Amino acid sequence: MYLTNDQERMLKGEYGIAIAESMNIIVKIGELYNADKLLKITSAQVSGISYKTIGEAGIKYLKHVSENAKVSVPTTLNPAGMDIEHWEKMKIIDDNFRSKQLEIVELYKKMGIKQSYTCTPYLGDNIPSFGDHIAWAESSAVIYANSIIGARTNREGGPLALASAITGYTSNYGMHIEENRKATIVFEIDRKIKDYSLLGAYIGDYAQEGIPYLIFNNVTKYLLKNLGAPMATWGSIAMYHIEGVTPEYKKNNLNGLERVKIDEKNLNEFLKKKIGNEGSPELIAFGCPLLSAREIKNLCKIITAKPKKSTSPEVWICTSRFMASKAKKEIAKLEKWGAKVLLDTCMVVSPIENLYGSTAVNSAKASYYLPKKSFSNQKIIYNTDKEIVEKYL
Ligand code: F3S
């Protein structure tokens, strides 16, 4: 791989050990993928914030890095394992978890990373431009940045994104290269489909990898964040195109590509076979990906239309600090109604297994992770937000 003189000096340790180690990770991974050079990045998004997901080994690694380096580009953080300022709202948080989580937060602060705690940085905390090279680790944000914005990022692991944040570089392979961003399969989607989360899961599960090209008329743009997140989870997809909507769709040649039709019957069968939509939830959790201000406003209308019953399960509404600042009135109304609005965290990366055994969600991404025995061990009840409110509140 070609390195400039300055990049060579970084690698040799002339700028300190953490920069040398970070450069070494980036160059080694780049060589593995036959990258020819390094690219300057304009931003990074780091994952691996929750104590639940990184544990003691993660803390040890972050201590080492934070003692020796700071980030060199604007960098945002994924959600943590609890609401950083109001953890007392979450009955699941014990003293040990709280102190470990706060320790992690301090380590990231020391490195100069913005305390955003969101998987939707593209909604305001960290917005790249078309064509920017970036190094983002959160798969739902990666697919959004590539598809909807036209920025360029691979699905980075947490340590690799952090290494890029420190050095300001990523290596030139995968989604940074024009020809790897072309469609590999076409989906023709029935315009009656409204559940973008379930649709994303179906596409991800079917395609598994590659770049889906969707022919989908009548798209609601602000809901596209909910389409990409499960696509990137049920498959390892980093980008998709939508005809007439996304910025790079015109660059594709669809001749010879497999074509798949999707209608509501396909989605219902998928829901029954792979997720499940029946049962009595102990917890209802909205916000995976974390809710936008517009989604909070919509949810507020649906939820507060009727009073909370004494038998209703606990309701979590997960969003970011930035989005919460845009929906203060609705958040106050939801809390008065009896919902818990949680910032900085989500139902997947917080330790819900400490208290709950069954959770209702309207997120097909959460439906993928929550049932895993070694992770959250939940029985999942998937429904749309309206169905959840009608059935359980
Ligand atoms: Fe975000 Fe948590 Fe879902 S980090 S995409 S809300 S799993």
Side-chain angles (χ1 to χ4, degrees):
M1 183 193 298
Y2 168 76
L3 296 179
T4 64
N5 287 340
D6 195 47
Q7 291 163 353
E8 288 281 7
R9 284 203 291 275
M10 291 168 92
L11 190 60
K12 284 183 187 149
E14 291 183 26
Y15 296 99
I17 183 172
I19 290 181
E21 286 173 356
S22 300
M23 203 54 152
N24 190 38
I25 299 174
I26 294 165
V27 170
K28 285 263 160 55
I29 300 274
E31 283 173 348
L32 212 62
Y33 288 97
N34 294 321
D36 57 346
K37 61 179 179 182
L38 298 182
L39 299 166
K40 262 192 188 310
I41 56 163
T42 56
S43 82
Q45 162 77 6
V46 174
S47 66
I49 319 303
S50 169
Y51 180 58
K52 171 173 168 173
T53 58
I54 68 169
E56 290 303 315
I59 292 182
K60 194 171 165 205
Y61 177 70
L62 292 176
K63 270 186 185 159
H64 168 70
V65 179
S66 66
E67 270 161 23
N68 298 291
K70 286 200 185 311
V71 297
S72 65
V73 294
T75 302
T76 40
L77 279 183
N78 238 26
M82 64 184 196
D83 187 316
I84 301 299
E85 287 173 355
H86 295 289
W87 57 75
E88 74 286 349
K89 286 186 188 172
M90 305 172 74
K91 287 181 278 181
I92 52 175
I93 301 301
D94 61 32
D95 286 347
N96 180 54
F97 191 94
R98 186 177 62 220
S99 67
K100 296 290 184 186
Q101 185 61 71
L102 293 178
E103 189 179 353
I104 293 169
V105 163
E106 287 307 315
L107 294 171
Y108 279 117
K109 264 191 206 166
K110 200 171 160 190
M111 287 185 251
I113 301 183
K114 185 174 177 186
Q115 306 297 292
S116 50
Y117 310 110
T118 183
C119 51
T120 60
Y122 49 80
L123 293 179
D125 293 276
N126 182 354
I127 309 179
S129 300
F130 181 88
D132 278 358
H133 294 283
I134 57 179
W136 284 17
E138 162 56 39
S139 67
S140 66
V142 165
I143 196 169
Y144 192 96
N146 279 317
S147 312
I148 312 298
I149 298 175
R152 299 183 169 208
T153 175
N154 288 316
R155 290 166 54 118
E156 310 286 21
L160 187 55
L162 184 57
S164 286
I166 289 167
T167 59
Y169 291 108
T170 190
S171 33
N172 187 31
Y173 69 94
M175 301 309 295
H176 294 284
I177 294 175
E178 186 73 25
E179 65 248 37
N180 296 334
R181 300 171 67 85
K182 299 284 189 285
T184 56
I185 181 168
V186 180
F187 289 95
E188 295 172 17
I189 296 157
D190 188 326
R191 60 184 295 138
K192 289 203 284 294
I193 289 179
K194 295 271 182 289
D195 188 339
Y196 286 19
S197 193
L198 201 54
L199 174 63
Y202 186 91
I203 293 170
D205 188 60
Y206 187 98
Q208 284 300 306
E209 55 189 24
I211 315 278
Y213 182 99
L214 316 188
I215 301 172
F216 187 19
N217 296 318
N218 208 12
V219 162
T220 308
K221 283 194 186 164
Y222 82 95
L223 292 176
L224 290 177
K225 70 190 248 303
N226 302 335
L227 175 71
M231 215 188 281
T233 307
W234 287 80
S236 56
I237 292 169
M239 181 177 185
Y240 61 93
H241 301 280
I242 307 180
E243 194 164 274
V245 176
T246 55
E248 296 176 55
Y249 83 92
K250 282 187 186 157
K251 296 178 180 175
N252 294 290
N253 176 0
L254 305 184
N255 288 339
L257 297 184
E258 180 187 357
R259 284 188 172 247
V260 183
K261 286 189 191 322
I262 307 178
D263 59 21
E264 285 179 318
K265 191 165 163 262
N266 298 127
L267 298 192
N268 287 335
E269 282 165 6
F270 177 82
L271 172 61
K272 293 224 153 61
K273 194 167 151 204
K274 302 231 171 171
I275 301 178
N277 61 347
E278 289 179 3
S280 310
E282 292 165 8
L283 173 69
I284 292 172
F286 296 110
C288 173
L290 296 188
L291 295 174
S292 65
R294 189 162 173 180
E295 289 175 296
I296 297 169
K297 289 175 189 177
N298 291 346
L299 205 50
C300 178
K301 270 191 212 140
I302 307 172
I303 291 181
T304 61
K306 55 182 183 179
K308 188 171 190 244
K309 293 185 208 132
S310 58
T311 51
S312 295
E314 180 147 307
V315 179
W316 284 10
I317 293 172
C318 303
T319 187
S320 66
R321 296 173 178 203
F322 186 75
M323 284 296 108
S325 72
K326 310 275 175 209
K328 286 184 185 158
K329 203 172 80 197
E330 288 76 13
I331 287 177
K333 206 168 165 190
L334 282 161
E335 293 205 308
K336 192 167 170 220
W337 177 88
K340 287 189 177 163
V341 179
L342 303 174
L343 312 186
D344 312 325
T345 190
C346 77
M347 67 298 277
V348 173
V349 297
S350 63
I352 63 170
E353 62 282 2
N354 288 353
L355 198 60
Y356 307 105
S358 55
T359 302
V361 290
N362 65 339
S363 161
K365 173 166 178 172
S367 301
Y368 181 89
Y369 285 116
L370 290 179
K372 295 197 180 306
K373 283 209 165 42
S374 57
F375 198 65
S376 298
N377 199 21
Q378 297 294 296
K379 173 178 166 42
I380 277 296
I381 302 144
Y382 179 95
N383 284 283
T384 63
D385 50 5
K386 283 191 184 131
E387 287 166 342
I388 289 175
V389 171
E390 267 164 34
K391 283 188 190 171
Y392 306 115
L393 292 181

